[in-house]
Amino acid sequence: MSDALVLDAAAQDLLFREARTANTFTDEPVSDEQIQAIYDLVKFGPTAFNQQPLRIVLVRSAEARERLVGHMADGNKAKTATAPLVAVVAADHEFHEELPAQFPAFPQAKDLFFTERPVREASSSFNAALQVGYFVVGIRAAGLAAGPMTGFDAAGINKDFFPDGDHSVLAVINIGKPGEDAWYPRNPRLTFDEAVTTV
Amino acid sequence: MSDALVLDAAAQDLLFREARTANTFTDEPVSDEQIQAIYDLVKFGPTAFNQQPLRIVLVRSAEARERLVGHMADGNKAKTATAPLVAVVAADHEFHEELPAQFPAFPQAKDLFFTERPVREASSSFNAALQVGYFVVGIRAAGLAAGPMTGFDAAGINKDFFPDGDHSVLAVINIGKPGEDAWYPRNPRLTFDEAVTTV
């Protein structure tokens, strides 16, 4: 534990050091109030031009859960079927429509930078992924475990859950209290010198 | 403030509610020890197959700083030139070489899923962006302000800072203590109902 951090040690543990990706969950439900509290915290995380392209679909009905499970890779089906709550997180490629309201200091951004769809797709995919990072931290801030997954038929989920053609799924996240044998042994991490260089 | 969160209120403020994207900084240096403490916290954030594709280049020499400033959009040059520390964050598309060591439970992942470069580029770009989200949170956990920017000549930075051709810059992040008039007024945020739907 380093003195170089201001964040208290309990918060460090809750968010990073002891937090783990859960593969099993208890039956305890995850409430709308919990998700709203998480959102109302992590919505402040920065994005380029305050574009906030992350969209979250909470899969609460049995019918929608069954459809989602059908798109998951075999190894992810059982946990997606049984987690207390499953969220589909996606990038909204039409985020620019919100820019004049969301970035009032520079309302021209919509027309100066984001008229072309490929530019919007690249920007929203990166910025929504940043927001997925904040969201995972937020789930942990609520004392819950996240189980983010990217093993699925993305085209199938996009067609089924985002028929407007303007969104791309980034991840499916199981959310709940960790259950029995919820995690595998902690994997290693790259050392500072492996991940960080100085020029 | 919601009771639905376990994270204490001071930590919520430090990481999200009161944290802001800084546009000016004091002269106080950012030490290697601080960056190492940040890395040693946020390295635990989850990535698919524990792939950890984020690479961080700390730009400490005047010569490298000058090269970097040359690639930045005009509106970002001054702050990139003057921030106490600037980090270039990138996705390593050859992360799969580390997988057998980093994901020992399933060393076949390298050859089963990641033999094709376009697959690796998509996976590393998303997962490194997640890690940029964790890194921004970590910078704030150290009591520092982050100023992430995406306005730059990406091809120029890639060629200049990653001549191996195996990395793609995702963002350039100014890091330091906020200076005078460090931020603009807080922008609005999408409401819960605008960003979150239930099916």
Side-chain angles (χ1 to χ4, degrees):
Chain A
M1 196 75 72
S2 167
D3 288 343
L5 298 182
V6 170
L7 186 71
D8 63 274
Q12 293 179 34
D13 288 344
L14 179 71
L15 302 181
F16 289 104
R17 282 188 215 283
E18 294 186 359
R20 300 291 311 280
T21 291
N23 294 296
T24 71
F25 297 90
T26 70
D27 290 338
E28 192 177 328
V30 176
S31 69
D32 285 345
E33 191 205 355
Q34 286 173 296
I35 300 296
Q36 179 136 15
I38 293 165
Y39 179 77
D40 283 339
L41 181 68
V42 301
K43 70 182 180 186
F44 291 114
T47 55
F49 297 99
N50 194 35
Q51 64 181 255
Q52 308 167 70
L54 180 68
R55 300 293 176 269
I56 300 169
V57 179
L58 304 176
V59 179
R60 290 224 180 258
S61 72
E63 172 272 325
R65 175 87 69 134
E66 192 179 333
R67 280 192 286 128
L68 180 61
V69 170
H71 298 299
M72 302 302 295
D74 287 344
N76 288 330
K77 283 183 192 293
K79 53 191 170 187
T80 306
T82 57
L85 180 61
V86 181
V88 178
V89 294
D92 180 358
H93 304 313
E94 300 298 289
F95 67 87
H96 64 311
E97 299 295 350
E98 317 293 336
L99 277 192
Q102 296 297 316
F103 200 62
F106 187 51
Q108 308 93 310
K110 177 187 171 190
D111 297 314
L112 279 179
F113 295 117
F114 295 115
T115 53
E116 292 177 32
R117 172 75 173 232
V119 173
R120 294 201 301 275
E121 290 194 4
S123 191
S124 60
S125 297
F126 171 68
N127 283 281
L130 278 185
Q131 290 186 283
V132 175
Y134 308 145
F135 186 55
V136 168
V137 172
I139 291 167
R140 293 166 165 194
L144 298 168
M149 301 171 291
T150 51
F152 47 66
D153 170 12
I157 291 179
N158 288 341
K159 192 173 170 191
D160 196 350
F161 285 83
F162 305 103
D164 65 6
D166 290 332
H167 299 72
S168 294
V169 61
L170 295 172
V172 175
I173 306 180
N174 296 321
I175 305 172
K177 287 274 171 70
E180 264 185 66
D181 300 322
W183 33 70
Y184 309 116
R186 171 74 92 180
N187 280 308
R189 290 297 188 272
L190 296 176
T191 65
F192 181 78
D193 289 338
E194 288 171 318
V196 183
T197 55
T198 300
V199 294
Chain B
M1 198 73 73
S2 166
D3 289 342
L5 297 181
V6 170
L7 185 71
D8 63 274
Q12 292 177 36
D13 288 344
L14 179 71
L15 302 181
F16 290 104
R17 283 188 214 281
E18 294 186 358
R20 299 294 309 281
T21 291
N23 294 296
T24 71
F25 297 90
T26 70
D27 291 336
E28 191 177 326
V30 176
S31 69
D32 284 344
E33 190 205 356
Q34 286 174 296
I35 299 297
Q36 178 136 16
I38 293 165
Y39 179 77
D40 283 338
L41 181 68
V42 302
K43 70 182 181 186
F44 291 115
T47 55
F49 296 100
N50 194 35
Q51 64 181 256
Q52 309 167 70
L54 181 69
R55 300 293 176 268
I56 299 168
V57 180
L58 304 177
V59 179
R60 291 222 180 259
S61 72
E63 173 273 324
R65 176 88 69 136
E66 192 179 335
R67 282 193 285 128
L68 180 61
V69 169
H71 298 298
M72 302 302 292
D74 286 345
N76 289 330
K77 283 183 193 294
K79 52 192 171 187
T80 305
T82 57
L85 180 60
V86 181
V88 178
V89 294
D92 180 357
H93 304 314
E94 300 297 290
F95 67 86
H96 65 310
E97 299 295 350
E98 317 294 335
L99 278 192
Q102 295 297 316
F103 200 61
F106 187 52
Q108 308 94 310
K110 177 186 171 190
D111 297 314
L112 279 178
F113 295 118
F114 295 114
T115 53
E116 294 177 33
R117 173 77 173 232
V119 171
R120 295 201 300 275
E121 290 194 5
S123 191
S124 60
S125 297
F126 170 68
N127 283 281
L130 278 185
Q131 289 186 285
V132 176
Y134 308 145
F135 186 55
V136 168
V137 172
I139 290 167
R140 293 165 164 194
L144 298 168
M149 301 171 292
T150 51
F152 46 68
D153 170 10
I157 291 180
N158 288 341
K159 192 173 171 190
D160 197 350
F161 286 83
F162 306 103
D164 64 6
D166 290 332
H167 299 72
S168 294
V169 60
L170 295 172
V172 175
I173 306 180
N174 296 320
I175 306 172
K177 287 274 172 68
E180 264 187 65
D181 299 324
W183 32 70
Y184 308 117
R186 171 75 92 179
N187 280 307
R189 289 297 188 272
L190 296 176
T191 65
F192 182 78
D193 290 338
E194 287 172 319
V196 183
T197 55
T198 299
V199 295

